[in-house]
Amino acid sequence: MKVVKNHTMRLTAIILFPSLAIVSSLNAGVALATAIEDAYVLAADPNTVFNDEQLLVKRERNNGSVSRKIWIKFDLSEFTLAADTGATLNLKISDPVYDPSSPSSHSVNVYALNANFTASEGELGRDWSDELLTFNNAPGNDSSYTSTDSSDTSFLGSFTTQSSGPTSNVGTIYSFEFSNLSTYTNSGDSTITLILTTSSPGDSNLKFASSENIQIAEALNNDGDPNNDIPAVTGPELQFSVVPEPAHATLLLGLAAGWLVSRRKLGGVGPRL
């Protein structure tokens, strides 16, 4: 189990009138959560765990059998989601994907594990761990190389990556936006699981950084063997809107009220009682 690293950023707008400033937009902030579990699975090797530094979606060779599927889980229990908020999934390229023999793009499909998902026999539940995840036990998986079980998952949409040019470089961020985050967040443990697949052909890799990437990269890059070095890139992130804590909103309102009172006492311009 990985350490949860959640970062919250609050946005506060100051509206300026000719002689009056008012703190506004106290009803929403922006939160950033990092993945607590992530791994990929492979149909050709259905009982093997792949939870290393990379989330491999596509590997060399021009056939669908080399496609992988990715599972990513986020813990949102520290946040109060804003009503009907959407979210943005951010993924970073961890290995150059350019292949001069067959430059191409890849369409990546994104699914969410349904909030009311119940595991069947032999299947991991919503509390799945990347230390146990395989093709045969992954929640919401099916027997194909490229899709998921439609009764247990919801299709959110697709995004396209490029296999040549600057957008294929290590560290390039690909972002995918979807709506109604709370719809796919389990009410019991406040987690959301996203699943990525691809059916795109093409003789090139497609690798995103996992949440283990930084830690593994630091170990390999300091082992004295430059042949083992890999880029250090941060793992999956989920960005979304939240409701600020009451104390934060109260503080901002108090500061605004205090400013108005001080202005009036000093004879500043502004509405008077």
Side-chain angles (χ1 to χ4, degrees), residues 114-161:
N114 291 340
N116 61 353
F117 168 77
T118 300
S120 58
E121 184 177 356
E123 190 175 26
L124 298 178
R126 294 194 63 90
D127 59 348
W128 64 271
S129 164
D130 60 14
E131 296 178 350
L132 300 175
L133 191 78
T134 68
F135 188 91
N136 278 344
N137 66 19
N141 196 18
D142 66 7
S143 59
S144 74
Y145 286 99
T146 60
S147 61
T148 62
D149 188 335
S150 59
S151 63
D152 291 328
T153 63
S154 298
F155 177 64
L156 302 181
S158 303
F159 65 94
T160 301
T161 66

Side-chain angles (χ1 to χ4, degrees), residues 146-253:
T146 60
S147 61
T148 62
D149 188 335
S150 59
S151 63
D152 291 328
T153 63
S154 298
F155 177 64
L156 302 181
S158 303
F159 65 94
T160 301
T161 66
Q162 300 297 321
S163 298
S164 61
T167 55
S168 67
N169 294 337
V170 171
T172 297
I173 300 175
Y174 282 95
S175 296
F176 172 78
E177 297 180 0
F178 62 97
S179 58
N180 299 322
L181 173 60
S182 59
T183 300
Y184 310 107
T185 303
N186 181 264
S187 59
D189 61 8
S190 298
T191 63
I192 179 173
T193 293
L194 300 177
I195 306 168
L196 278 61
T197 73
T198 183
S199 56
S200 297
D203 190 17
S204 59
N205 283 337
L206 179 54
K207 301 176 183 178
F208 297 114
S210 77
S211 54
E212 290 95 350
N213 185 278
I214 294 292
Q215 181 179 359
I216 294 176
E218 288 178 350
L220 291 176
N221 296 348
N222 292 292
D223 67 356
D225 185 353
N227 294 322
N228 293 334
D229 290 359
I230 63 172
V233 184
T234 55
E237 298 172 338
L238 193 66
Q239 184 175 325
F240 49 94
S241 296
V242 294
V243 177
E245 293 90 343
H248 177 73
T250 301
L251 174 61
L252 291 176
L253 288 172

Side-chain angles (χ1 to χ4, degrees), residues 21-37:
I22 309 174
V23 178
S24 181
S25 298
L26 301 179
N27 61 325
V30 178
L32 190 67
T34 57
I36 60 168
E37 305 286 348

